[in-house]
Amino acid sequence: MEFDQPEPAAPVMAETRLRPCWVSTMALKPDMVLAKSVSAASGGYATMSLPAGATLAEETIGQMIVKGIECVAVLNTEPMSEADYALATQSYEARLGQIFGPERTEHCQALLDALLRRGPMPC
């Protein structure tokens, strides 16, 4: 029996600075809102299923920790300003240039290109 349900299509965000944030369950706070659904299973049985848009309560966060959920996507309620995000993007691109170096294999270049398209984490 399959418990995974298809993820609803997320709206395309014009700016990467507005993307959802991935947050460790240990750093979650009550009233945060899930940007993606969360599910957990044990012994083939669903033990937790929360839809995108659910508001987190302290008890729910505790259950996630007990069930071994490490991180979840929450809505980005405090996006960086456009200027700050531009600076973060410059820093991100420079750091990736240092990590990947000037000579790249085809596979490394493909990974670098994907990371550059993704942009820095907005939170």
Side-chain angles (χ1 to χ4, degrees), residues 17-111:
R17 70 186 183 91
L18 301 176
R19 286 187 179 139
C21 302
W22 286 93
V23 179
S24 160
T25 51
M26 299 303 286
L28 291 173
K29 305 276 187 243
D31 297 325
M32 286 183 162
V33 177
L34 292 176
K36 296 185 176 277
S37 62
V38 174
S39 61
S42 178
Y45 295 97
T47 58
M48 175 177 275
S49 181
L50 300 169
T55 301
L56 297 178
E58 193 171 324
E59 296 81 14
T60 309
I61 296 167
Q63 290 175 16
M64 287 182 191
I65 293 168
V66 168
K67 294 179 186 314
I69 297 171
E70 294 182 19
C71 65
V72 297
V74 297
L75 295 182
N76 181 359
T77 57
E78 297 179 16
M80 290 181 192
S81 70
E82 289 183 33
D84 287 344
Y85 189 76
L87 289 173
T89 299
Q90 287 177 345
S91 176
Y92 176 77
E93 290 172 356
R95 181 65 180 130
L96 287 176
Q98 292 173 338
I99 292 168
F100 283 86
E103 296 181 29
R104 302 175 188 121
T105 67
E106 178 183 335
H107 299 293
C108 285
Q109 186 63 51
L111 176 58

